[in-house]
Each structure stands twice: as C-alpha cells, then as structure tokens.
Amino acid sequence: MAIYYEPLSLILATLLLSSISLISLSEATKNGGVTIDLIHRESPLSPSYDASTTHFERLRSLFRRSISRYYALRSASFKSTSKSPDSFEATLTPIGGEYLIKINIGTPPVEILAIADTGSDLTWTQCVPCTQCYKQNAPLFDPTKTTSYRSVSCTSQQCQSLGVGSSSCDKSNRCLYQVSYGDNSYSNGDLAVETFTFDSSTSKESVAFPKVVFGCGHNNDGTFNETGSGIVGLGGGAVSIVKQLETAIGGKFSYCLTTLDSESSSKINFGPNAIVTGPNVSSTPIVQKSPDTFYYLTLEGVSVGNKASAYNYISNSNSGATVEEGNIIIDSGTTLTFLPSSLYEGLESTLEKSISGNRVSDPQGLFGLCYELPSNGEFNAPPIIAHFTGADVELTQESTFLEVEKGVVCLTFVTSQDLAIFGNLHQMNFLIGYDLKNQKVRFLPTDCSKTK
C-alpha cells in the first residue's frame, strides 16, 4: 500500500529524532554547524582513483569532463530562457561534478556516496526495486528497510515544487519525478521524504535532518560512474538540499577546495561554520536569473598584474556598453573557467605581451596560450585578477597556468560561446561562502589543505 507524506506532528517528529542517537539540529547550530569532507574524483582519496593512470592522463580526463559539462550547462541555461510558457518539457539539468560527498539516508542511516553538485537541485539515489539502474559498487537504497521513508502525493507542495514537466502521477496518486541531463543521462522514480544524516568531520558527531525531499530512482542510466550512487543537489532551486535546509542552516554554506595535488580533502560547511569573515574577505552579489538552479555573479572584467602595479584592465563589455548583470555562473563541478570571447582574447593578448617564454601549441588543441616549461621547472607569469562587482579576486599562478603535458604549461581559461563559467580550478585555496539570505558570495584566500 502506498504511503503518502503529510506534515508530521511535533510528537511524531520528536519520536523520529529520539529514535536515533544523533545530536539535534539546534545542538549542531550551537556547535558551529556541520562540516563534511569533499572528495575530488581524481584524488587518491576517491574510490574511483586509478593509480595506473598518469597525472597528465587524469588532467586530460578532467578537461574532457569540463568541456562536456560546459555544453550541458549551456544547454540548460538556453533551454530555460527560451522555452515558451506553454512548454511541458523539463529544463535540462547538467550532469557531472568533480566532488563526491558521503551522506546517510534513512532510519537506521545507510551511507551513500554521491556527486556534490552546485549545478543541480534534486538530490536522488538509486533504489530498489530497480527496473533500469547503472552499475554501482554500493548496495542500492532499499526504502522498505527504513522507518522514516514517506512517499509524496501529487497534490503536495513538494511535488509541485519540481516544476512543470519534471513530475507526474501514478495510479495511486504518488508523485513521480523525471530529470534528464545534458549528456542524455537520466533518473526517474518516486519523490519521497527521508531523514538525511550528515557526519561532521570536525565535531565527529552526526546531525539528522528529517523530512528531506529526495528522489528514489528506479530507472536511471547514462554516464554515471559506478562509485557514485546519485547526486546531492546544492543548487539554488526550491528542492535543493541547501534550499530545503535554508532555515536550519541560516541560508549559509561554504566550501574550501584544495589543489589538485593536495593529499588533504576539501571541506563543505553548513550553518554557522559557513560564515566567511575577516579583513581579506571580498563580497559580490548573487544575481537572480533563470534557471534559479545556478548561482549567477557579475564579472566586470579581468586584469593582468598585481594590485601594487597599474592594471592592464580588460572589460567584460563592449566599448561604452554596460556590463550585463549575472553574466557568469560560479560552479564547483566545472574545472576550467570559460570567458566570453572578447574578454578571453583581450586577456590572452595582454598575457602574451607580459610573459617572456617560448610559446608552443597545446598538444590537445584545447588551450589557446601555452609555453614551453623552462628547464629549471619555473614558469613566471603575472597575477590575474577577476573583477566581480564589489570583489577583486586575485588568482594564483598555480591555478591560472598549469602543466597540462610534460614540459608544456597552458592558460586555464578558455573561450565560450554564450555562457561564462567560473570553474573550480580558480576557486581552489579560497574559502567561498554562499549567503542565500543576503544573496552574497564571499571569497577569502586561504590554504584549504589546513582547513579543519
């Protein structure tokens, strides 16, 4: 018999929380919130790490995924802004993401490893019974073995929050979800609510969040990796984890991404731990645009040279034109940064005049500005500063120029057609805080390998 979710009484909610030996949400808030490890897919800490591959082979894999994700994000953005009011087709959502996160679902909690994705909203995992599932290493989630699982009815607000074209009803009035991705991957199944438990890597305590809306996928396939069991949606849409927990975590989350060669894991914080403060913090507004999944910022331009010297400033607008608000997405799942062609061309030209070295072609044909690495292994390039509205973010040379092949270093910005993305490579070694209550993103330069 189908079970439909209705708002639980305070007594039932209290019983649910007391049935598991976890600290409460209010206790977690007093203790500073929740901090969880983020595991890069190419890190030795990842279960998908292949020690037989070389460093440069792993980089090539990163770059290929970055290009694929760019086109998926572009497709999702274009689809959202161009569809008619009468359209019943769900907006394409990008697949991918470079970081894995461990969460626990159900009562008793069952651990799953999923992609942490700021470019997706709905959190889902593969469930039994499964009519079509991609291969995964961990057992499938079984909703019959948890006491806190509830299906969602078609008339509920949770079902309606999926939007037109992303939900349907079965004969028992259960809400069914459908999500499709830019690479033709998909997940279909039951929309439900469950208790999600986060194991904090700092306090060594577990925090339970009851009644979280998620997808229990019975029909899933595509380019998913067998090490992951689904997606944890960290986007800005109504059904994302951060939106659902917005009141509990004060609308705040942050992450600190370590460099690609670091032996330390990255961190993601929810609640008070995610507040980014200090004299070196810079802040820029989040711009509300469609689709609301993405976090849009305004990039006014870039400059070459450190803050102590005169800027070689390249504007992100045509001569005399006003910079478009919300002209770039900040995304943790895309490795490279994609710039509008006019901005990229100005940056490449300015850098070429500033760098002394032997320019060479990229063996992969992806990057536009590459140099031969000197025999001493030291390549010198001026700093690049990204000028967001109200925030000047000075990027490190370790992220802006990367040895992509033996003896070849390349600029890690690439040109885009009509969508700009600030990728995770240029977010590394910054504590980046998302304040959804005040609609701000904050940047604090730091050594993320030392972040606890």
Side-chain angles (χ1 to χ4, degrees):
M1 181 176 68
I3 304 175
Y4 302 113
Y5 171 73
E6 298 295 344
L8 294 177
S9 68
L10 179 61
I11 296 176
L12 182 55
T14 304
L15 288 173
L16 175 61
L17 285 174
S18 62
S19 67
I20 45 180
S21 56
L22 307 166
I23 65 172
S24 69
L25 201 53
S26 60
E27 288 177 306
T29 302
K30 292 178 183 177
N31 293 341
V34 183
T35 298
I36 308 173
D37 288 338
L38 284 176
I39 305 169
H40 196 282
R41 288 172 61 174
E42 300 294 345
S43 162
L45 301 174
S46 170
S48 61
Y49 179 76
D50 184 357
S52 67
T53 61
T54 68
H55 169 71
F56 297 116
E57 287 173 336
R58 289 191 288 274
L59 282 181
R60 284 195 292 272
S61 179
L62 272 175
F63 301 148
R64 284 195 299 270
R65 291 199 300 270
S66 192
I67 297 296
S68 297
R69 184 172 173 87
Y70 163 77
Y71 283 107
L73 283 162
R74 179 175 175 267
S75 175
S77 178
F78 177 78
K79 191 73 176 180
S80 174
T81 55
S82 63
K83 66 181 181 179
S84 68
D86 298 327
S87 172
F88 284 85
E89 184 176 0
T91 300
L92 290 174
T93 308
I95 187 57
E98 294 300 327
Y99 292 89
L100 300 171
I101 184 173
K102 288 181 181 179
I103 61 173
N104 300 279
I105 302 179
T107 308
V110 175
E111 182 180 278
I112 70 166
L113 185 67
I115 297 170
D117 193 0
T118 54
S120 296
D121 289 327
L122 182 66
T123 295
W124 61 266
T125 189
Q126 297 201 110
C127 292
V128 295
C130 203
T131 56
Q132 169 62 52
C133 279
Y134 64 89
K135 181 182 178 181
Q136 71 173 51
N137 294 335
L140 300 181
F141 180 72
D142 188 346
T144 67
K145 295 183 178 180
T146 166
T147 60
S148 46
Y149 181 92
R150 301 289 186 275
S151 294
V152 171
S153 74
C154 282
T155 57
S156 68
Q157 182 180 354
Q158 292 90 343
C159 187
Q160 295 171 10
S161 67
L162 287 178
V164 176
S166 295
S167 64
S168 59
C169 297
D170 68 4
K171 295 179 180 179
S172 301
N173 199 38
R174 288 184 307 180
C175 182
L176 307 178
Y177 77 91
Q178 306 94 35
V179 290
S180 58
Y181 299 94
D183 62 351
N184 296 319
S185 298
Y186 61 86
S187 176
N188 304 318
D190 297 321
L191 194 69
V193 292
E194 252 297 6
T195 295
F196 277 47
T197 305
F198 295 163
D199 295 331
S200 179
S201 61
T202 52
S203 66
K204 305 302 180 184
E205 294 177 301
S206 298
V207 185
F209 296 85
K211 299 180 287 185
V212 175
V213 178
F214 82 112
C216 197
H218 302 296
N219 183 6
N220 327 284
D221 207 356
T223 60
F224 304 108
N225 189 288
E226 64 187 27
T227 58
S229 302
I231 287 179
V232 175
L234 300 172
V239 295
S240 78
I241 286 287
V242 292
K243 276 294 188 177
Q244 290 191 63
L245 305 181
E246 187 168 8
T247 300
I249 63 177
K252 294 177 177 63
F253 75 100
S254 67
Y255 51 73
C256 205
L257 307 180
T258 58
T259 57
L260 294 175
D261 58 355
S262 176
E263 295 181 358
S264 301
S265 62
S266 302
K267 304 289 183 183
I268 185 168
N269 313 291
F270 300 94
N273 280 352
I275 298 175
V276 179
T277 59
N280 296 322
V281 171
S282 55
S283 173
T284 189
I286 297 173
V287 179
Q288 296 298 303
K289 294 181 69 174
S290 179
D292 57 6
T293 300
F294 305 145
Y295 297 104
Y296 292 92
L297 309 180
T298 302
L299 181 65
E300 297 177 344
V302 294
S303 61
V304 176
N306 59 45
K307 294 182 179 181
S309 67
Y311 287 151
N312 291 300
Y313 184 84
I314 305 104
S315 173
N316 197 17
S317 67
N318 297 324
S319 178
T322 302
V323 174
E324 179 190 356
E325 288 192 343
N327 58 17
I328 191 167
I329 293 168
I330 180 170
D331 181 42
S332 66
T334 306
T335 300
L336 303 173
T337 289
F338 293 79
L339 296 178
S341 57
S342 60
L343 186 62
Y344 172 82
E345 289 166 5
L347 175 62
E348 181 181 309
S349 175
T350 304
L351 283 168
E352 187 177 20
K353 297 173 184 176
S354 308
I355 296 172
S356 298
N358 181 27
R359 186 169 177 177
V360 296
S361 298
D362 169 28
Q364 301 179 49
L366 172 61
F367 300 105
L369 185 62
C370 299
Y371 290 89
E372 181 182 314
L373 183 66
S375 57
N376 62 4
E378 296 181 4
F379 177 75
N380 295 315
I384 297 174
I385 301 171
H387 299 280
F388 298 100
T389 299
D392 296 332
V393 180
E394 184 171 339
L395 309 177
T396 63
Q397 183 179 308
E398 290 75 14
S399 68
T400 57
F401 279 89
L402 197 65
E403 187 178 10
V404 300
E405 295 282 356
K406 184 67 174 177
V408 178
V409 293
C410 293
L411 176 67
T412 54
F413 293 83
V414 293
T415 186
S416 71
Q417 299 176 33
D418 47 22
L419 178 70
I421 305 173
F422 189 63
N424 65 50
L425 194 60
H426 300 135
Q427 299 176 49
M428 292 175 181
N429 277 341
F430 284 93
L431 177 59
I432 300 179
Y434 293 71
D435 183 346
L436 305 186
K437 182 178 180 180
N438 297 301
Q439 291 296 292
K440 296 283 187 180
V441 170
R442 296 182 172 90
F443 298 87
L444 175 64
T446 188
D447 184 350
C448 290
S449 65
K450 296 180 180 178
T451 301
K452 296 182 179 180

